[in-house]
Amino acid sequence: NTELTDATVWVREAALFTIENITLTGGFSGLLGTNANLPQIRLTNCRLVGNNNFGLQLENSLAIATDTTFESGNPGSSVGVFLSSRLACNGCTFSTPGPNNVITVVKSLASMSESSFSSGPIRSESSIVNIFDSEINSSGPGVPGMVAINSSSVNLVRVEIFGRMLFEKSTS
């Protein structure tokens, strides 16, 4: 499963799609949401693991996750938020093998609370990322916990960070 459309579950232009207590594995993405934004995709107590590239991939979509685990395959990112998408997570776990981005947010908005991020950096490009009451733990020496570029806005409130942070190009 190496193509974008090889998702385990593909939610396209759906309204109020809910997934609860399930594991999504084996696709290019565990869950691909495209143009699914009225009102949102809901994930509760799910595991999006063992996928080729993304656990969750959003493109012009809105998703809300609670108590959900996102793990990427190699060389992927556990979550990709693209094309004006919005992601909100509470009590979620994000992990990736090695130095890959644990979550990638491009021209979108992501807000996470009471969540943990391990192994790779959180990458924000021309986006807004809000993280509250969480822990960021990069995988080792030289791997940043956060990379924010191209006019990103990053808000960290009561966040414990293990590893360095990199802010470039008009980022606040």
Side-chain angles (χ1 to χ4, degrees):
N1 293 326
T2 59
E3 298 295 324
L4 175 70
T5 56
D6 289 336
T8 304
V9 174
W10 186 357
V11 179
R12 189 171 26 183
E13 298 180 22
L16 194 54
F17 186 84
T18 300
I19 298 176
E20 294 179 340
N21 305 314
I22 196 165
T23 298
L24 298 176
T25 188
F28 178 84
S29 297
L31 174 63
L32 169 62
T34 56
N35 300 315
N37 51 25
L38 293 173
Q40 76 259 342
I41 299 168
R42 283 195 173 273
L43 297 162
T44 303
N45 194 33
C46 293
R47 291 180 38 88
L48 288 75
V49 299
N51 295 288
N52 194 41
N53 208 28
F54 296 100
L56 172 65
Q57 181 178 359
L58 299 175
E59 296 184 1
N60 192 34
S61 295
L62 171 62
I64 298 172
T66 305
D67 299 322
T68 294
T69 299
F70 302 95
E71 294 177 5
S72 71
N74 198 7
S77 180
S78 62
V79 173
V81 185
F82 306 104
L83 301 172
S84 301
S85 293
R86 296 173 309 276
L87 171 65
C89 285
N90 184 43
C92 294
T93 302
F94 302 83
S95 64
T96 186
N100 302 328
N101 296 327
V102 70
I103 179 171
T104 302
V105 185
V106 179
K107 296 183 180 175
S108 296
L109 168 69
S111 292
M112 286 78 62
S113 64
E114 299 177 11
S115 296
S116 66
F117 305 85
S118 62
S119 296
I122 298 166
R123 181 177 179 84
S124 174
E125 186 173 332
S126 303
S127 297
I128 298 172
V129 174
N130 302 310
I131 303 175
F132 306 95
D133 302 310
S134 298
E135 180 180 291
I136 300 170
N137 192 351
S138 62
S139 64
V143 178
M146 168 74 69
V147 175
I149 63 172
N150 296 338
S151 302
S152 288
S153 176
V154 176
N155 302 297
L156 304 171
V157 178
R158 293 179 304 276
V159 176
E160 189 171 14
I161 301 168
F162 300 94
R164 62 189 178 95
M165 296 188 297
L166 175 63
F167 297 96
E168 296 181 348
K169 300 179 185 172
S170 303
T171 297
S172 61

